[in-house]
Amino acid sequence: MEQYQGKTIFNKIAIGKVFLYQKKETQVKRRHVEDAEAEIVRFNTAKETALAQLDQIYEKALKEVGADNAAVFEVHKMMMEDEDYLDSIYNMIRGELINAEYAVAATGDNFAEMFAQMDDAYMQARAADVRDISERLVAVLCGTVAGSGDGKRTRTVAGNRTGSGTDMHALDEPVILMADDLAPSETVQMDKSKILSFVTRHGSSNSHTAILARTMNIPAVIGIDIREEWAGKTAIVDGYTGTVFIDPDEETLEQMSAKMRDDERKQQLLRELRGKETITGSGKKIHLYANIGGVSDVAQVLQNDGEGIGLFRSEFLYLESDTFPTEEEQFKAYKMVAQNMAGKKVVVRTLDIGADKQVDYFNLEKEDNPAMGYRAIRICLDRQEIFRTQLRALLRASAFGNISIMFPMIISVQEVLESKRILEEVKTELREQKIPYKDVEVGIMIETPAAVWISEELAKEVDFFSIGTNDLTQYTLAIDRQNPKLDNIYDSHHPAVLRSIRTVIENGHKGGAWVGICGELGADTSLTETFVEMGIDELSVSPSFVLPVREAVRNLR
Ligand code: PEP
Ligand code: MG
């Protein structure tokens, strides 16, 4: 057994096989196609190949493991020919002029999500099947499947034995993913159902990949010197201590399994808080919302009983894509989130691209100080066609739920006035075109010291503030949140940060705006009492922190 010490990102334990992630070349990316009919022919050919593979697997399984176990491949064949499933793929290709692999992956995600939400346990289990057939189709389209199976419940394809590579589709069991570093644009495109844990050599605890691990509710450790020979070996990630064990001995396996069972018992206790109010003993109610990066995170919010969504990082829609997401694509995503949240508040932050969230097709110039550079609202006010497309999509989606719009990285009243002016122009345009929308609340992120100090003036212009403590700490302390060398002094508890939060709450209330926190600090239960005492109205946290924070609030007098 070998043992390594890193820095923990999320307190949980994972046991599984190591998969060494190498920078991917074959990602399911959205591509524009000129000829939808040709793309449909391409899809249909791939479908025939996939069906033939399933036939072969079925025959092999029948011989080796019997009819009961083989039956699943018959079900897969039926699902692959399902009319609704195919219509969804054809409609996407024709309606949005996109490539087949993207249409299949998106349809697979949507259907899996739908099945997972159903009450019936049998139907819930179909979520894995629809993912499975979609992965098979995508892999055929990308030319990566060898196409043989061993007849077990899970699919086996070539490539899973090496324990390294880029192709998550080729995995037949969830893995501990190890990499030198992971960019948000990579993590966002991974099949999250296949990942037990992240372990990286680089990265900082405040990076967006770390935030994603928390959203996914999986243990993660950074600062581990990853070795190639670990590929395929068994490992344990102890997210409580930041320890990674390779080839653990029996005793360690036993200890860690006991710790995992303990974790599960605690989770069980927390689940009893579902459906309960987030209210202190003396009756102060806190709105407890969750942060998401995309449509698929909504399931986590619902599972953890989030009372709304306090931060939808919309830039992840752009990161997933190869070209600018169209108004229609964005509209569908926002609408789906609004509808799934069934009237609960959904705060969508407009595009916050730049800094660590880089997208090739924006053609942003390389900057010396990207965190303080051309990003977020600065890009939106400069390249208004991008901003207007997003605002139109958001307003159209507002008709289907309870959407609020939030502008990031604000440093001046002028930026807010200009953003609101553009929003009003977009509303006028929609009215003229008789396209329905609802009146939405408009808020801003308070994540720069400038915004803190002019928060009294800003409050008069908006309905709400959401304090982004991740960036507020970075800019207040002049510490790059991405720099692992500074991780130990990146301190969100610094009095300068806490005083800023108090000031913002007071000024927000004076100006009639409600005030929340959507940075990671909002989930720090050692500060819950402080925030409540300061008068915070809302906390928005990674879905897995909703119930622990509810518990902390309910434990207050
Ligand atoms: C923040 O800065 O606190 C925040 C919530 O935004 P992000 O982490 O996406 O920059
Ligand atoms: Mg921020």
Side-chain angles (χ1 to χ4, degrees):
M1 178 174 82
E2 296 165 60
Q3 185 172 334
Y4 300 87
Q5 194 56 42
K7 187 166 189 310
T8 178
I9 296 294
F10 188 65
N11 288 348
K12 232 181 149 186
I13 293 162
I15 303 179
K17 291 264 189 300
V18 173
F19 180 81
L20 288 188
Y21 175 81
Q22 285 138 11
K23 298 286 168 193
K24 45 171 108 170
E25 272 138 45
T26 50
Q27 296 173 344
V28 181
K29 282 203 164 184
R30 186 182 166 279
R31 249 188 321 106
H32 174 80
V33 294
E34 290 297 332
D35 185 348
E37 296 315 311
E39 195 62 9
I40 285 179
V41 170
R42 193 175 148 251
F43 167 76
N44 283 337
T45 311
K47 178 164 71 78
E48 291 313 313
T49 307
L51 286 168
Q53 286 177 352
L54 285 169
D55 271 338
Q56 279 176 10
I57 298 169
Y58 175 78
E59 291 304 327
K60 186 166 181 276
L62 197 60
K63 279 193 216 114
E64 292 174 6
V65 291
D68 278 359
N69 283 313
V72 62
F73 298 110
E74 286 285 284
V75 174
H76 281 196
K77 276 181 63 182
M78 272 158 51
M79 290 177 97
M80 216 177 258
E81 304 260 47
D82 179 78
E83 225 174 275
D84 290 339
Y85 179 75
L86 292 177
D87 277 351
S88 165
I89 294 167
Y90 296 148
N91 288 345
M92 274 194 203
I93 295 176
R94 288 200 180 104
E96 297 171 35
L97 290 178
I98 50 167
N99 53 322
E101 32 292 66
Y102 190 86
V104 171
T107 299
D109 278 355
N110 291 346
F111 275 60
E113 209 61 61
M114 208 166 65
F115 283 130
Q117 300 293 331
M118 292 183 180
D119 286 338
D120 182 300
Y122 176 82
M123 294 312 284
Q124 282 173 3
R126 300 286 70 77
D129 293 312
V130 77
R131 277 209 177 90
D132 209 346
I133 60 161
S134 306
E135 282 165 12
R136 177 170 294 281
L137 283 165
V138 167
V140 173
L141 283 160
C142 299
T144 51
V145 161
S148 74
D150 62 0
K152 285 199 211 122
R153 184 67 191 73
T154 48
R155 179 164 65 90
T156 301
V157 291
N160 58 356
R161 286 179 194 88
T162 61
S164 71
T166 60
D167 186 9
M168 305 290 295
H169 305 110
L171 298 169
D172 67 351
E173 59 185 338
V175 291
I176 293 174
L177 191 138
M178 297 199 179
D180 259 8
D181 203 358
L182 292 168
S185 56
E186 287 172 319
T187 37
V188 77
Q189 293 182 58
M190 287 176 179
D191 177 352
K192 301 180 182 62
S193 67
K194 297 274 175 70
I195 303 170
L196 295 171
S197 167
F198 287 130
V199 178
T200 62
R201 189 193 309 261
H202 305 294
S204 75
S205 39
N206 307 294
S207 64
H208 283 93
T209 296
I211 291 172
L212 193 83
R214 291 184 200 114
T215 305
M216 287 166 64
N217 192 19
I218 59 172
V221 170
I222 56 175
I224 298 283
D225 209 359
I226 289 153
R227 314 255 167 88
E228 263 183 33
E229 61 267 25
W230 296 352
K233 289 191 173 173
T234 299
I236 301 176
V237 179
D238 182 350
Y240 287 94
T241 58
T243 314
V244 174
F245 302 89
I246 306 290
D247 268 342
D249 56 30
E250 275 307 311
E251 197 187 333
T252 311
L253 267 173
E254 196 48 52
Q255 268 176 10
M256 289 295 151
S257 304
K259 227 169 155 181
M260 275 174 94
R261 286 193 294 274
D262 207 37
D263 249 7
E264 188 39 46
R265 272 193 293 277
K266 282 190 201 133
Q267 288 299 323
Q268 191 59 41
L269 281 175
L270 281 174
R271 281 198 279 273
E272 286 172 15
L273 290 174
R274 291 180 46 134
K276 301 239 164 88
E277 274 193 307
T278 308
I279 190 164
T280 65
S282 58
K284 161 96 178 139
K285 172 125 186 51
I286 304 294
H287 297 283
L288 182 53
Y289 299 157
N291 298 344
I292 63 166
V295 179
S296 58
D297 294 335
V298 174
Q300 283 272 9
V301 179
L302 297 174
Q303 265 163 29
N304 288 283
D305 200 27
E307 297 160 24
I309 288 169
L311 170 64
F312 179 173
R313 290 181 162 95
S314 68
E315 57 276 6
F316 279 84
L317 297 178
Y318 293 72
L319 287 167
E320 278 171 354
S321 188
D322 237 2
T323 52
F324 288 99
T326 60
E327 178 185 322
E328 202 56 26
E329 283 168 339
Q330 292 191 58
F331 163 67
K332 280 186 186 148
Y334 304 140
K335 177 180 158 194
M336 201 180 290
V337 174
Q339 282 182 328
N340 285 345
M341 290 305 291
K344 291 179 179 160
K345 192 177 264 309
V346 176
V347 179
V348 184
R349 172 172 77 186
T350 58
L351 183 63
D352 185 11
I353 218 81
D356 65 321
K357 289 173 284 194
Q358 290 292 336
V359 184
D360 292 346
Y361 58 85
F362 271 71
N363 288 325
L364 300 178
E365 277 170 30
K366 207 163 165 29
E367 295 173 305
D368 285 343
N369 288 306
M372 295 197 280
Y374 186 65
R375 56 174 294 197
I377 199 72
R378 300 168 187 181
I379 297 182
C380 286
L381 293 179
D382 187 42
R383 295 173 66 177
Q384 288 190 15
E385 70 290 355
I386 301 174
F387 196 33
R388 284 173 193 272
T389 303
Q390 180 170 38
L391 293 176
R392 266 184 73 95
L394 278 169
L395 284 171
R396 284 175 55 199
S398 71
F400 298 87
N402 181 5
I403 285 184
S404 303
I405 295 180
M406 174 159 78
F407 304 122
M409 276 293 290
I410 292 294
I411 57 163
S412 70
V413 173
Q414 283 84 337
E415 282 172 339
V416 179
L417 294 177
E418 177 69 353
S419 304
K420 286 200 321 184
R421 186 187 62 74
I422 297 171
L423 182 66
E424 286 310 311
E425 279 179 13
V426 175
K427 281 186 190 171
T428 308
E429 206 176 275
L430 289 176
R431 274 198 305 276
E432 282 167 6
Q433 295 170 350
K434 304 215 173 344
I435 298 175
Y437 65 87
K438 274 194 204 143
D439 257 338
V440 293
E441 278 202 330
V442 174
I444 55 172
M445 302 266 312
I446 302 284
E447 49 187 347
T448 63
V452 172
W453 296 112
I454 59 165
S455 48
E456 199 171 339
E457 289 92 314
L458 289 170
K460 294 178 192 145
E461 301 301 334
V462 295
D463 299 305
F464 66 93
F465 286 160
S466 190
I467 306 175
T469 52
N470 309 334
D471 277 320
L472 186 59
T473 305
Q474 148 162 280
Y475 298 123
T476 303
L477 306 185
I479 290 179
D480 178 358
R481 68 193 263 196
Q482 292 291 116
N483 189 335
K485 282 209 193 79
L486 304 175
D487 235 16
N488 55 342
I489 54 167
Y490 176 100
D491 176 17
S492 293
H493 287 222
H494 192 291
V497 178
L498 295 181
R499 275 182 222 169
S500 298
I501 295 173
R502 187 182 289 280
T503 302
V504 171
I505 296 173
E506 282 170 11
N507 285 341
H509 288 171
K510 261 194 241 166
W514 60 264
V515 184
I517 296 177
C518 64
E520 298 295 286
L521 197 66
D524 184 336
T525 48
S526 71
L527 286 173
T528 308
E529 185 167 13
T530 309
F531 295 146
V532 171
E533 179 267 315
M534 287 177 179
I536 202 77
D537 302 295
E538 177 246 21
L539 292 169
S540 189
V541 299
S542 296
S544 51
F545 287 113
V546 167
L547 295 175
V549 172
R550 179 170 297 158
E551 184 181 43
V553 171
R554 289 173 66 88
N555 283 341
L556 297 178
R557 284 164 186 257

